[in-house]
Amino acid sequence: MFERVREDIQSVFHRDPAARNAFEVLTCYPGLHAIWLHRLSGWLWLAGWKWLARMVSNFGRWLTGIEIHPGAKIGKRFFIDHGMGIVIGETAEIGDDVTLYQGVTLGGTSWNKGKRHPTLESGVVVGAGAKVLGPFTVGANAKVGSNAVVTKAVPAGATVVGIPGRIIVKADDEVEAKRQAIAEKLGFDAYGVSQDMPDPIAKAIGQLLDHLQAVDGRLEGMCSALKALGSDYCAQELPALRDEDFDDVCKGLDDKPAA
Ligand SMILES: CC(C)(COP(=O)(O)OP(=O)(O)OC[C@H]1O[C@@H](n2cnc3c(N)ncnc32)[C@H](O)[C@@H]1OP(=O)(O)O)[C@@H](O)C(=O)NCCC(=O)NCCS
Protein backbone atom coordinates (compact mmCIF):
# COMPACT_ATOMS: atom_id res chain seq x y z
CA MET A 1 0.00 0.00 0.00
CA PHE A 2 2.81 2.43 0.94
CA GLU A 3 4.49 1.66 -2.38
CA ARG A 4 1.28 2.71 -4.16
CA VAL A 5 1.06 5.93 -2.11
CA ARG A 6 4.70 6.69 -2.90
CA GLU A 7 3.92 6.16 -6.61
CA ASP A 8 0.93 8.53 -6.34
CA ILE A 9 3.11 11.23 -4.81
CA GLN A 10 5.80 10.76 -7.44
CA SER A 11 3.22 11.10 -10.20
CA VAL A 12 2.32 14.55 -8.81
CA PHE A 13 5.98 15.64 -8.95
CA HIS A 14 6.24 14.36 -12.52
CA ARG A 15 3.17 16.21 -13.74
CA ASP A 16 2.90 19.38 -11.65
CA PRO A 17 5.87 21.74 -11.65
CA ALA A 18 4.23 23.65 -8.76
CA ALA A 19 4.62 20.70 -6.35
CA ARG A 20 7.41 21.50 -3.85
CA ASN A 21 7.70 18.68 -1.33
CA ALA A 22 6.03 15.43 -0.23
CA PHE A 23 4.32 16.99 2.81
CA GLU A 24 2.72 19.66 0.64
CA VAL A 25 1.60 17.05 -1.87
CA LEU A 26 0.14 14.83 0.86
CA THR A 27 -1.84 17.64 2.41
CA CYS A 28 -2.74 20.04 -0.42
CA TYR A 29 -3.67 17.87 -3.40
CA PRO A 30 -7.40 17.03 -3.37
CA GLY A 31 -6.85 14.82 -6.41
CA LEU A 32 -4.79 12.45 -4.28
CA HIS A 33 -7.35 12.44 -1.46
CA ALA A 34 -10.07 11.61 -3.98
CA ILE A 35 -8.06 8.70 -5.41
CA TRP A 36 -7.32 7.23 -1.98
CA LEU A 37 -10.97 7.47 -0.98
CA HIS A 38 -11.90 5.88 -4.30
CA ARG A 39 -9.63 2.92 -3.55
CA LEU A 40 -11.53 2.43 -0.30
CA SER A 41 -14.95 2.87 -1.90
CA GLY A 42 -13.99 0.58 -4.80
CA TRP A 43 -12.93 -2.13 -2.35
CA LEU A 44 -16.22 -1.80 -0.44
CA TRP A 45 -18.16 -1.89 -3.74
CA LEU A 46 -16.51 -5.13 -4.83
CA ALA A 47 -17.01 -6.60 -1.36
CA GLY A 48 -20.76 -6.01 -1.75
CA TRP A 49 -21.00 -3.06 0.69
CA LYS A 50 -22.63 -0.94 -1.99
CA TRP A 51 -24.31 1.71 0.19
CA LEU A 52 -21.19 2.20 2.30
CA ALA A 53 -19.14 2.44 -0.89
CA ARG A 54 -21.46 5.17 -2.20
CA MET A 55 -21.21 6.98 1.16
CA VAL A 56 -17.40 6.96 1.05
CA SER A 57 -17.54 8.18 -2.55
CA ASN A 58 -19.97 10.91 -1.52
CA PHE A 59 -17.73 11.92 1.38
CA GLY A 60 -14.87 12.19 -1.11
CA ARG A 61 -17.03 14.47 -3.23
CA TRP A 62 -17.80 16.77 -0.26
CA LEU A 63 -14.14 16.89 0.64
CA THR A 64 -12.62 17.37 -2.80
CA GLY A 65 -15.31 18.30 -5.32
CA ILE A 66 -14.34 15.18 -7.25
CA GLU A 67 -17.02 12.55 -7.77
CA ILE A 68 -15.76 9.09 -8.63
CA HIS A 69 -18.29 6.28 -8.70
CA PRO A 70 -17.01 3.30 -6.65
CA GLY A 71 -17.53 1.04 -9.70
CA ALA A 72 -15.08 3.01 -11.89
CA LYS A 73 -11.86 1.12 -12.66
CA ILE A 74 -8.73 3.21 -12.31
CA GLY A 75 -5.12 2.26 -13.09
CA LYS A 76 -1.83 3.25 -11.51
CA ARG A 77 -0.38 6.74 -11.18
CA PHE A 78 -3.69 8.44 -11.96
CA PHE A 79 -3.30 12.19 -11.44
CA ILE A 80 -6.09 14.70 -10.99
CA ASP A 81 -4.72 18.24 -11.00
CA HIS A 82 -6.69 20.86 -9.04
CA GLY A 83 -9.80 18.66 -8.89
CA MET A 84 -13.22 20.27 -8.31
CA GLY A 85 -16.06 19.63 -10.68
CA ILE A 86 -14.77 16.25 -11.87
CA VAL A 87 -17.26 13.44 -12.47
CA ILE A 88 -16.19 9.87 -13.27
CA GLY A 89 -19.06 7.50 -14.03
CA GLU A 90 -19.69 3.96 -12.86
CA THR A 91 -18.51 2.11 -15.97
CA ALA A 92 -15.57 4.39 -16.77
CA GLU A 93 -12.23 2.62 -17.13
CA ILE A 94 -8.95 4.47 -16.77
CA GLY A 95 -5.53 3.04 -17.64
CA ASP A 96 -2.16 3.84 -16.07
CA ASP A 97 -0.58 7.33 -16.02
CA VAL A 98 -3.77 9.16 -16.98
CA THR A 99 -4.12 12.87 -16.10
CA LEU A 100 -7.35 14.81 -15.65
CA TYR A 101 -7.71 18.52 -14.94
CA GLN A 102 -10.51 20.31 -13.14
CA GLY A 103 -14.02 20.23 -14.55
CA VAL A 104 -13.66 16.99 -16.54
CA THR A 105 -16.64 14.69 -16.98
CA LEU A 106 -16.25 11.07 -18.01
CA GLY A 107 -19.95 10.56 -18.49
CA GLY A 108 -22.65 8.67 -20.34
CA THR A 109 -25.19 9.74 -22.93
CA SER A 110 -27.83 7.14 -22.20
CA TRP A 111 -29.76 5.87 -19.19
CA ASN A 112 -29.26 2.26 -20.21
CA LYS A 113 -27.51 0.02 -17.78
CA GLY A 114 -24.26 -1.62 -18.89
CA LYS A 115 -21.16 0.07 -20.28
CA ARG A 116 -22.05 3.71 -20.89
CA HIS A 117 -18.93 5.64 -19.85
CA PRO A 118 -15.62 6.01 -21.70
CA THR A 119 -12.45 3.99 -21.44
CA LEU A 120 -9.23 6.03 -21.30
CA GLU A 121 -6.14 4.05 -22.19
CA SER A 122 -2.77 4.63 -20.59
CA GLY A 123 -1.15 8.05 -20.79
CA VAL A 124 -4.29 9.96 -21.82
CA VAL A 125 -4.50 13.63 -20.78
CA VAL A 126 -7.89 15.32 -20.54
CA GLY A 127 -7.77 19.14 -20.33
CA ALA A 128 -9.72 21.37 -17.99
CA GLY A 129 -13.48 21.41 -18.53
CA ALA A 130 -13.52 18.71 -21.21
CA LYS A 131 -16.43 16.28 -21.43
CA VAL A 132 -15.87 12.76 -22.71
CA LEU A 133 -19.28 11.20 -23.14
CA GLY A 134 -20.16 7.66 -24.16
CA PRO A 135 -18.91 4.06 -24.06
CA PHE A 136 -15.98 4.46 -26.48
CA THR A 137 -12.22 4.32 -26.11
CA VAL A 138 -9.75 7.19 -26.02
CA GLY A 139 -6.54 5.55 -27.27
CA ALA A 140 -3.23 5.49 -25.41
CA ASN A 141 -1.43 8.83 -25.01
CA ALA A 142 -4.23 10.77 -26.72
CA LYS A 143 -4.88 14.35 -25.54
CA VAL A 144 -8.27 15.96 -25.13
CA GLY A 145 -8.08 19.77 -25.23
CA SER A 146 -9.58 21.90 -22.52
CA ASN A 147 -13.33 22.44 -22.94
CA ALA A 148 -13.63 19.89 -25.75
CA VAL A 149 -16.73 17.72 -25.95
CA VAL A 150 -15.81 14.27 -27.24
CA THR A 151 -18.50 11.77 -28.19
CA LYS A 152 -16.59 9.43 -30.51
CA ALA A 153 -13.57 7.13 -30.19
CA VAL A 154 -10.18 8.83 -30.33
CA PRO A 155 -7.21 7.00 -31.90
CA ALA A 156 -4.05 6.46 -29.85
CA GLY A 157 -1.75 9.47 -29.80
CA ALA A 158 -4.30 11.85 -31.35
CA THR A 159 -5.17 15.31 -30.03
CA VAL A 160 -8.82 16.33 -29.99
CA VAL A 161 -10.11 19.87 -29.50
CA GLY A 162 -13.37 21.78 -29.80
CA ILE A 163 -17.08 21.06 -29.80
CA PRO A 164 -17.75 18.54 -31.20
CA GLY A 165 -14.24 17.19 -30.69
CA ARG A 166 -12.14 17.14 -33.86
CA ILE A 167 -8.71 15.65 -34.28
CA ILE A 168 -5.91 18.14 -34.89
CA VAL A 169 -3.96 16.92 -37.87
CA LYS A 170 -0.31 17.62 -37.45
CA ALA A 171 2.32 16.98 -40.10
CA ASP A 172 3.30 13.34 -40.19
CA ASP A 173 6.55 12.99 -38.19
CA GLU A 174 7.95 10.41 -40.60
CA VAL A 175 7.31 12.61 -43.65
CA GLU A 176 8.82 15.60 -41.80
CA ALA A 177 11.93 13.58 -40.91
CA LYS A 178 12.40 12.54 -44.56
CA ARG A 179 11.98 16.14 -45.73
CA GLN A 180 14.49 17.31 -43.15
CA ALA A 181 16.98 14.67 -44.28
CA ILE A 182 16.77 15.57 -47.97
CA ALA A 183 16.90 19.31 -47.16
CA GLU A 184 20.05 18.78 -45.09
CA LYS A 185 21.54 16.75 -47.91
CA LEU A 186 20.88 19.66 -50.26
CA GLY A 187 22.39 22.06 -47.74
CA PHE A 188 19.51 24.26 -46.58
CA ASP A 189 17.36 24.48 -43.50
CA ALA A 190 13.88 23.24 -44.44
CA TYR A 191 12.62 23.76 -40.89
CA GLY A 192 13.51 27.43 -40.97
CA VAL A 193 11.90 27.82 -44.38
CA SER A 194 8.56 26.17 -43.67
CA GLN A 195 8.10 27.64 -40.16
CA ASP A 196 7.77 31.25 -41.22
CA MET A 197 6.32 30.98 -44.68
CA PRO A 198 2.69 31.16 -45.68
CA ASP A 199 1.11 27.73 -45.88
CA PRO A 200 0.80 27.32 -49.71
CA ILE A 201 4.52 28.03 -50.13
CA ALA A 202 5.54 25.72 -47.30
CA LYS A 203 3.29 23.04 -48.79
CA ALA A 204 4.82 23.44 -52.26
CA ILE A 205 8.34 23.26 -50.83
CA GLY A 206 7.37 20.17 -48.85
CA GLN A 207 6.08 18.51 -52.01
CA LEU A 208 9.22 19.49 -53.92
CA LEU A 209 11.33 17.94 -51.16
CA ASP A 210 9.26 14.74 -51.33
CA HIS A 211 9.76 14.62 -55.10
CA LEU A 212 13.48 15.34 -54.76
CA GLN A 213 13.76 12.54 -52.28
CA ALA A 214 12.11 10.09 -54.69
CA VAL A 215 14.43 11.21 -57.51
CA ASP A 216 17.43 11.02 -55.18
CA GLY A 217 16.51 7.46 -54.20
CA ARG A 218 16.25 6.43 -57.84
CA LEU A 219 19.56 8.07 -58.75
CA GLU A 220 21.29 6.30 -55.88
CA GLY A 221 19.90 3.01 -57.16
CA MET A 222 21.18 3.78 -60.68
CA CYS A 223 24.60 4.77 -59.34
CA SER A 224 24.87 1.50 -57.40
CA ALA A 225 23.97 -0.42 -60.58
CA LEU A 226 26.52 1.56 -62.64
CA LYS A 227 29.19 0.98 -59.98
CA ALA A 228 28.45 -2.74 -60.06
CA LEU A 229 29.05 -2.61 -63.83
CA GLY A 230 32.45 -0.98 -63.22
CA SER A 231 31.56 2.64 -64.02
CA ASP A 232 32.89 5.54 -61.90
CA TYR A 233 30.26 7.94 -63.30
CA CYS A 234 28.86 8.66 -59.84
CA ALA A 235 32.20 8.98 -58.05
CA GLN A 236 32.21 12.78 -58.36
CA GLU A 237 30.52 14.82 -55.60
CA LEU A 238 27.63 17.05 -56.67
CA PRO A 239 28.28 20.80 -56.25
CA ALA A 240 26.92 22.03 -52.90
CA LEU A 241 24.28 24.75 -52.67
CA ARG A 242 25.79 27.98 -51.37
CA ASP A 243 24.04 30.10 -48.70
CA GLU A 244 24.94 33.30 -50.60
CA ASP A 245 22.75 32.18 -53.50
CA PHE A 246 19.70 32.50 -51.23
CA ASP A 247 20.57 35.93 -49.81
CA ASP A 248 18.43 37.84 -52.32
CA VAL A 249 15.44 35.56 -51.76
CA CYS A 250 15.65 35.90 -47.97
CA LYS A 251 16.07 39.68 -48.24
CA GLY A 252 12.90 39.81 -50.36
CA LEU A 253 10.98 37.89 -47.68
CA ASP A 254 12.28 40.11 -44.86
CA ASP A 255 11.22 43.26 -46.76
CA LYS A 256 7.70 41.93 -47.33
CA PRO A 257 5.18 43.98 -45.28
CA ALA A 258 3.18 42.02 -42.64
CA ALA A 259 -0.26 40.98 -43.89
C1 LIG B 1 -5.21 20.31 -26.77
C2 LIG B 1 -3.79 20.52 -26.29
C3 LIG B 1 -3.28 19.29 -25.57
C4 LIG B 1 -3.00 20.81 -27.58
O1 LIG B 1 -1.66 20.96 -27.32
P1 LIG B 1 -0.60 20.89 -28.55
O2 LIG B 1 -0.54 19.53 -29.11
O3 LIG B 1 0.65 21.50 -28.03
O4 LIG B 1 -1.27 21.78 -29.68
P2 LIG B 1 -1.01 23.31 -30.05
O5 LIG B 1 -0.93 24.15 -28.81
O6 LIG B 1 0.14 23.32 -31.02
O7 LIG B 1 -2.35 23.71 -30.81
C5 LIG B 1 -2.68 23.15 -32.06
C6 LIG B 1 -3.93 23.85 -32.56
O8 LIG B 1 -5.05 23.52 -31.72
C7 LIG B 1 -5.64 24.71 -31.16
N1 LIG B 1 -6.02 24.37 -29.78
C8 LIG B 1 -5.21 23.98 -28.79
N2 LIG B 1 -5.92 23.72 -27.68
C9 LIG B 1 -7.21 23.98 -27.99
C10 LIG B 1 -8.41 23.88 -27.25
N3 LIG B 1 -8.43 23.47 -25.99
N4 LIG B 1 -9.57 24.18 -27.88
C11 LIG B 1 -9.56 24.58 -29.18
N5 LIG B 1 -8.45 24.67 -29.95
C12 LIG B 1 -7.29 24.38 -29.34
C13 LIG B 1 -4.54 25.74 -31.22
O9 LIG B 1 -5.06 27.04 -31.24
C14 LIG B 1 -3.86 25.37 -32.52
O10 LIG B 1 -4.65 25.82 -33.58
P3 LIG B 1 -3.95 26.34 -34.98
O11 LIG B 1 -3.21 25.14 -35.52
O12 LIG B 1 -5.11 26.76 -35.80
O13 LIG B 1 -3.04 27.44 -34.56
C15 LIG B 1 -3.69 21.73 -25.31
O14 LIG B 1 -3.92 22.95 -25.99
C16 LIG B 1 -4.69 21.65 -24.16
O15 LIG B 1 -5.84 22.07 -24.24
N6 LIG B 1 -4.22 21.07 -23.01
C17 LIG B 1 -4.97 21.01 -21.80
C18 LIG B 1 -4.26 21.80 -20.75
C19 LIG B 1 -5.12 22.14 -19.55
O16 LIG B 1 -6.29 21.88 -19.48
N7 LIG B 1 -4.49 22.74 -18.57
C20 LIG B 1 -5.13 23.13 -17.37
C21 LIG B 1 -4.11 23.62 -16.42
S1 LIG B 1 -4.87 24.31 -14.99
Coordinates of all heavy atoms in Angstrom, one line a residue, residues 39 45 54 70 84 107 111 130 137 140 142 145 182 201 210 218 229 232 234 248 252:
R39 N -10.1 4.3 -3.8 CA -9.6 2.9 -3.6 C -10.4 2.2 -2.4 O -10.8 1.1 -2.6 CB -8.1 2.9 -3.2 CG -7.3 3.2 -4.5 CD -5.9 3.0 -4.3 NE -5.2 3.6 -5.4 CZ -4.1 4.4 -5.4 NH1 -3.5 4.5 -4.2 NH2 -3.6 4.9 -6.5
W45 N -17.2 -1.6 -2.6 CA -18.2 -1.9 -3.7 C -18.0 -3.3 -4.2 O -19.0 -4.1 -4.3 CB -17.9 -0.9 -4.9 CG -18.8 -1.0 -6.1 CD1 -18.6 -1.7 -7.2 CD2 -20.1 -0.4 -6.2 NE1 -19.7 -1.5 -8.1 CE2 -20.6 -0.7 -7.4 CE3 -20.9 0.4 -5.3 CZ2 -21.9 -0.3 -7.9 CZ3 -22.1 0.8 -5.7 CH2 -22.6 0.5 -7.0
R54 N -20.9 3.9 -1.7 CA -21.5 5.2 -2.2 C -21.3 6.3 -1.2 O -21.0 7.4 -1.5 CB -23.0 5.0 -2.5 CG -23.3 4.2 -3.8 CD -22.6 4.7 -5.0 NE -23.0 6.0 -5.5 CZ -24.0 6.3 -6.3 NH1 -24.7 5.3 -6.9 NH2 -24.3 7.5 -6.7
P70 N -17.8 4.4 -7.2 CA -17.0 3.3 -6.7 C -16.8 2.2 -7.7 O -15.8 1.4 -7.6 CB -17.8 2.7 -5.5 CG -18.9 3.7 -5.2 CD -19.0 4.6 -6.3
M84 N -12.0 19.4 -8.3 CA -13.2 20.3 -8.3 C -14.0 20.1 -9.6 O -13.4 20.3 -10.7 CB -12.9 21.7 -8.1 CG -14.0 22.6 -7.7 SD -15.0 22.0 -6.3 CE -14.0 22.5 -4.9
G107 N -18.5 10.8 -18.7 CA -19.9 10.6 -18.5 C -20.6 9.7 -19.5 O -19.9 9.2 -20.5
W111 N -29.4 6.3 -20.5 CA -29.8 5.9 -19.2 C -29.8 4.4 -19.1 O -30.3 3.8 -18.2 CB -31.1 6.5 -18.8 CG -31.0 8.0 -18.6 CD1 -29.9 8.6 -18.1 CD2 -32.1 8.9 -18.7 NE1 -30.2 10.0 -18.0 CE2 -31.5 10.2 -18.4 CE3 -33.4 8.9 -19.1 CZ2 -32.2 11.4 -18.4 CZ3 -34.1 10.0 -19.2 CH2 -33.6 11.3 -18.8
A130 N -13.1 19.6 -20.1 CA -13.5 18.7 -21.2 C -14.6 17.7 -20.8 O -14.6 17.2 -19.6 CB -12.3 18.0 -21.8
T137 N -13.6 4.3 -26.7 CA -12.2 4.3 -26.1 C -11.4 5.5 -26.6 O -11.5 5.9 -27.8 CB -11.5 3.0 -26.6 OG1 -12.2 1.9 -26.0 CG2 -10.0 3.0 -26.1
A140 N -4.4 5.2 -26.2 CA -3.2 5.5 -25.4 C -2.6 6.8 -25.8 O -2.4 7.1 -27.0 CB -2.2 4.3 -25.5
A142 N -3.5 9.7 -26.0 CA -4.2 10.8 -26.7 C -4.4 12.0 -25.8 O -4.3 11.8 -24.6 CB -5.6 10.2 -27.1
G145 N -8.3 18.4 -25.6 CA -8.1 19.8 -25.2 C -9.1 20.3 -24.2 O -10.2 19.7 -24.1
I182 N 16.4 15.2 -46.6 CA 16.8 15.6 -48.0 C 17.2 17.0 -48.0 O 18.1 17.4 -48.7 CB 15.6 15.3 -49.0 CG1 16.1 15.4 -50.4 CG2 14.4 16.2 -48.8 CD1 16.9 14.2 -50.9
I201 N 3.1 28.1 -49.7 CA 4.5 28.0 -50.1 C 5.2 26.9 -49.4 O 5.9 26.1 -50.0 CB 5.2 29.4 -49.8 CG1 4.6 30.5 -50.6 CG2 6.7 29.3 -50.2 CD1 5.1 31.9 -50.4
D210 N 9.7 16.1 -51.2 CA 9.3 14.7 -51.3 C 9.7 14.2 -52.7 O 10.2 13.1 -52.8 CB 7.7 14.6 -51.2 CG 7.3 14.9 -49.8 OD1 8.1 14.9 -48.9 OD2 6.1 15.1 -49.6
R218 N 16.1 7.1 -56.6 CA 16.2 6.4 -57.8 C 17.7 6.6 -58.4 O 18.3 5.7 -58.9 CB 15.2 7.0 -58.8 CG 15.2 6.1 -60.1 CD 14.0 6.3 -60.9 NE 12.8 5.9 -60.2 CZ 11.6 5.9 -60.8 NH1 11.5 6.3 -62.0 NH2 10.5 5.6 -60.1
L229 N 28.6 -2.3 -62.5 CA 29.1 -2.6 -63.8 C 30.5 -2.1 -64.1 O 31.0 -2.1 -65.2 CB 28.1 -2.0 -64.8 CG 26.7 -2.6 -64.9 CD1 25.7 -1.8 -65.8 CD2 26.7 -4.0 -65.4
D232 N 32.6 4.6 -63.0 CA 32.9 5.5 -61.9 C 32.1 6.8 -62.2 O 32.5 7.9 -61.6 CB 34.4 5.8 -61.7 CG 35.0 6.5 -63.0 OD1 34.2 6.6 -64.0 OD2 36.1 6.9 -62.9
C234 N 29.4 8.0 -61.0 CA 28.9 8.7 -59.8 C 29.9 9.0 -58.8 O 29.5 9.4 -57.7 CB 27.8 7.8 -59.2 SG 26.4 7.5 -60.3
D248 N 19.4 36.9 -51.7 CA 18.4 37.8 -52.3 C 17.0 37.4 -52.0 O 16.1 38.2 -51.7 CB 18.6 37.9 -53.8 CG 19.8 38.6 -54.2 OD1 20.4 39.3 -53.3 OD2 20.3 38.5 -55.4
G252 N 14.2 39.5 -49.8 CA 12.9 39.8 -50.4 C 11.8 39.5 -49.4 O 10.9 40.2 -49.1

